[in-house]
Amino acid sequence: MQSTHLLLEEPIRMASILEPSKPSFFPAMTKIVGTLGPKSRSVEVISACLKAGMSVARFDFSWGDVEYHQETLENLKAAIKSTKKLCAVMLDTVGPELQVVNKSEKAISLEADGYVILTPDQEQEASSELLPINFSGLSKASNILLRTMLIAVKPGDTIFIGQYLFTGSETTSVWLEVSELKGEDVVCMIKNTATLAGSLFTLHVSQIHINLPTLTEADKNAIGTWGVRNKIDFLSLSYTRHAEDVRQAREFLSKLGDLYQTQIFAKIESIEGLTHFDEILQEADGIILSRGNLGIDLPPEKVFLFQKAAVYKCNVAGKPAVITRVVDSMTDNLRPTRAEATDVANAILDGSDAILLGAETLRGLYPVETISTVGRICYEAEKVFNQDLYFKKTVKYVGEPMTHLESIASSAVRAAIKVKASIIICFTSSGRAARLIAKYRPTMPVLSVVIPRLKTNQLRWSFSGAFEARQSLIVRGLFPMLADPRHPAESTGASNESVLKVALDHGKASGLIKSHDRVVVCQKVGDASVVKIIELED
């Protein structure tokens, strides 16, 4: 009987429940992005995070200065060197984030059914009656409409203020309802009792257009200094609302030396970004579904629909989909809730490429355990993923005639499944061929052997390849390896064989393959792309 869902049939599912989880060299095909911060910035903890399965380190510039993040990154480099595990770097911008400014850092108590005023006057002292914010347009009434987006609040609108991005808990957050507008001030009724502690609180207004640039001057400064110095692999573009936001960010990166290679992941956090999702996906290199903010903008019953639709669109476009806010409770607890564990598994069954951990690793008490737990859940979900149905749907969506590269990629995956190969090895220069193979979600790992290319800026020679290798670390099922630059992609059969031998030795050392296993190899020989099947000898 053919299953119509992205799960295998009932007897197989039941059997998988009874099997104990087995440790492996790669905890899961799904990638884990960990946010480094106060609880996860020492060499020891970062090393443990890498061993647990973290493949991308996220640096959140909504807090901390350049020096602080540089110190953390130096520790990451030391951890990579000691563990011999590759890790990519993601810079997360602040974007047009609205914030409450609490200069005194004194705790602010807000009582349900009371009233509080939001004011753009940042010189005022924050208190239980008055909260200064960093935006002056909240109360500016206007008849301008941006599709369904208004540019000013009105009585009855909902405003969320809190530290959920930092603590992972909504208990330190407050919901407000707009009562009336007084000049530039907004008077709000407090809907729940809460205590706000710290210097900055995120403020989110549902379905309101914020007339601020997506890439702020502070973001440009961080990218132009820290980003350039450290050759960041990914830019997480917070509050992406239009495709033009991505184009402007790419134009900015193109003027910053090696950062023209940096991939841009559009972070969808609002109704406005959701409305323009298709155009944004076309321009971006990947998508991050920021479910924290989206969960405020959308009714709770609609969040899962958006997730499934967005992930599906990313899958068929062959672009990575990253899910956030999955195990918030692990910020303070050693185990996730049952709902959270199920949520992680469902994200994998939906087709997500990576799970992004925020507060759980940034300030959480158990960063290593969180990465390990999420990795194990992903691994179990992958075992029951209906790859056969997924493959057929993807091929049908691509249609005919296929492009040459798409045909080679799908053929490699089909062959690997038919012969029960242990691994697929793909030789690539740009990484595109390997990403296309991963698009078809093979059940076995794809070893992406990146062949460096010689390039020049007319002043000096250098090799490309490092960016391409690290950028594979956010794609589900892809595991990169940088080849010897003396062996170009279009080399003779003999030298390709020597690179293949190195790749096979790497696979054996990693525990991915053993004697008598079958391996599917996708490589370029001269002008032709070849898919071949080899069986390992003793």
Side-chain angles (χ1 to χ4, degrees):
M1 184 179 72
Q2 176 65 49
S3 171
T4 56
H5 304 287
L6 292 183
L7 283 174
L8 296 183
E9 295 177 25
E10 186 70 22
I12 300 174
R13 289 209 307 273
M14 294 305 296
S16 71
I17 295 170
L18 303 175
E19 291 175 3
S21 299
K22 297 174 184 176
S24 63
F25 181 78
F26 299 123
M29 307 274 265
T30 306
K31 303 304 173 66
I32 297 176
V33 181
T35 305
L36 301 186
K39 296 291 185 181
S40 55
R41 65 190 303 257
S42 68
V43 175
E44 294 74 24
V45 174
I46 296 174
S47 297
C49 288
L50 292 172
K51 290 176 183 176
M54 180 181 78
S55 62
V56 180
R58 171 176 171 258
F59 293 80
D60 187 354
F61 273 75
S62 62
W63 67 276
D65 56 26
V66 169
E67 290 74 23
Y68 182 90
H69 289 302
Q70 188 61 43
E71 188 178 314
T72 306
L73 184 58
E74 295 304 324
N75 289 344
L76 172 64
K77 290 176 181 177
I80 291 171
K81 190 174 181 180
S82 65
T83 60
K84 293 183 172 59
K85 287 188 179 292
L86 203 58
C87 185
V89 172
M90 175 183 284
L91 187 159
D92 201 317
T93 63
V94 180
E97 184 173 84
L98 302 190
Q99 295 174 332
V100 174
V101 182
N102 181 18
K103 293 179 180 178
S104 69
E105 298 193 20
K106 293 177 182 176
I108 300 169
S109 297
L110 300 172
E111 296 293 330
D113 299 325
Y115 288 86
V116 66
I117 296 173
L118 304 181
T119 176
D121 184 0
Q122 295 184 48
E123 298 304 314
Q124 297 274 3
E125 187 81 16
S127 68
S128 300
E129 293 78 36
L130 189 75
L131 296 176
I133 63 174
N134 65 343
F135 181 58
S136 61
L138 208 57
S139 65
K140 289 180 180 176
S142 172
N143 58 4
I144 297 174
L145 284 173
L146 291 174
R147 294 196 184 178
T148 59
M149 309 300 296
L150 297 168
I151 67 166
V153 294
K154 63 186 184 302
D157 282 348
T158 299
I159 295 176
F160 175 89
I161 296 175
Q163 282 196 310
Y164 76 97
L165 291 175
F166 304 122
T167 66
S169 171
E170 264 72 355
T171 57
T172 55
S173 308
V174 66
W175 291 91
L176 306 176
E177 184 179 298
V178 177
S179 177
E180 62 176 309
L181 308 180
K182 287 186 175 180
E184 289 193 326
D185 295 346
V186 180
V187 182
C188 301
M189 174 184 277
I190 302 164
K191 304 297 286 183
N192 66 291
T193 300
T195 300
L196 304 178
S199 59
L200 286 174
F201 318 115
T202 300
L203 182 147
H204 191 95
V205 189
S206 294
Q207 303 192 26
I208 298 295
H209 172 74
I210 305 303
N211 192 24
L212 293 172
T214 301
L215 203 60
T216 66
E217 288 305 314
D219 292 330
K220 289 180 179 179
N221 183 57
I223 297 166
T225 54
W226 192 88
V228 170
R229 176 181 174 183
N230 298 296
K231 298 181 180 179
I232 56 171
D233 303 295
F234 304 108
L235 178 71
S236 170
L237 192 60
S238 295
Y239 295 94
T240 303
R241 295 163 288 183
H242 302 269
E244 186 59 29
D245 296 338
V246 181
R247 286 192 285 268
Q248 288 176 1
R250 202 176 298 283
E251 184 183 357
F252 177 69
L253 291 176
S254 69
K255 300 171 183 175
L256 299 175
D258 287 334
L259 294 200
Y260 75 90
Q261 301 175 83
T262 297
Q263 289 190 349
I264 299 173
F265 274 59
K267 207 171 178 187
I268 307 299
E269 311 196 45
S270 66
I271 288 283
E272 199 170 355
L274 188 156
T275 304
H276 303 103
F277 184 84
D278 290 346
E279 306 96 273
I280 292 170
L281 176 61
Q282 200 170 350
E283 289 294 330
D285 297 300
I287 296 289
I288 297 174
L289 302 179
S290 181
R291 301 192 310 174
N293 284 335
L294 271 174
I296 297 168
D297 241 16
L298 284 172
E301 66 272 18
K302 297 289 187 181
V303 175
F304 85 97
L305 280 173
F306 170 66
Q307 174 177 315
K308 289 180 182 295
V311 170
Y312 172 76
K313 289 185 176 189
C314 289
N315 287 167
V316 296
K319 295 185 178 183
V322 184
I323 299 290
T324 70
R325 300 295 301 277
V326 289
V327 286
D328 288 352
S329 70
M330 289 196 76
T331 304
D332 302 305
N333 300 292
L334 197 52
R335 285 171 62 92
T337 65
R338 293 174 294 280
E340 287 173 336
T342 305
D343 185 33
V344 174
N346 280 327
I348 306 314
L349 296 174
D350 286 344
S352 302
D353 285 81
I355 300 294
L356 190 153
L357 301 173
E360 302 98 323
T361 55
L362 176 81
R363 294 174 180 269
L365 301 177
Y366 310 102
V368 179
E369 292 83 355
T370 301
I371 292 168
S372 180
T373 299
V374 169
R376 289 198 304 273
I377 297 169
C378 293
Y379 175 76
E380 291 296 326
E382 289 160 5
K383 288 200 299 185
V384 296
F385 182 77
N386 192 336
Q387 195 280 336
D388 181 58
L389 180 64
Y390 180 92
F391 183 89
K392 288 175 180 175
K393 282 186 174 182
T394 306
V395 169
K396 185 178 179 180
Y397 179 86
V398 171
E400 295 179 354
M402 280 184 171
T403 64
H404 177 76
L405 203 54
E406 190 99 40
S407 176
I408 291 292
S410 59
S411 298
V413 175
R414 192 194 304 270
I417 291 168
K418 292 293 183 185
V419 303
K420 292 183 167 51
S422 297
I423 191 172
I424 298 173
I425 296 177
C426 177
F427 293 92
T428 180
S429 292
S430 66
R432 185 168 169 237
R435 286 195 299 273
L436 269 179
I437 290 173
K439 170 183 171 180
Y440 288 90
R441 294 286 187 263
T443 52
M444 65 291 297
V446 180
L447 187 59
S448 173
V449 182
V450 181
I451 310 290
R453 287 185 292 191
L454 194 61
K455 61 178 183 176
T456 179
N457 60 2
Q458 298 182 335
L459 293 175
R460 64 187 179 89
W461 292 94
S462 62
F463 284 103
S464 69
F467 267 100
E468 290 82 356
R470 290 193 300 268
Q471 286 166 348
S472 299
L473 292 167
I474 205 165
V475 181
R476 180 161 157 179
L478 272 193
F479 300 94
M481 169 189 159
L482 199 57
D484 191 320
R486 290 170 294 185
H487 302 300
E490 292 84 10
S491 61
T492 63
S495 52
N496 251 342
E497 289 301 328
S498 64
V499 179
L500 177 58
K501 184 178 184 305
V502 173
L504 291 172
D505 289 343
H506 177 73
K508 290 175 184 176
S510 305
L512 289 172
I513 49 178
K514 59 186 184 302
S515 298
H516 305 296
D517 277 1
R518 288 173 177 172
V519 175
V520 168
V521 180
C522 183
Q523 65 185 122
K524 196 166 186 179
V525 178
D527 292 329
S529 296
V530 177
V531 174
K532 64 180 181 180
I533 302 164
I534 60 175
E535 188 165 331
L536 302 187
E537 299 174 352
D538 290 329

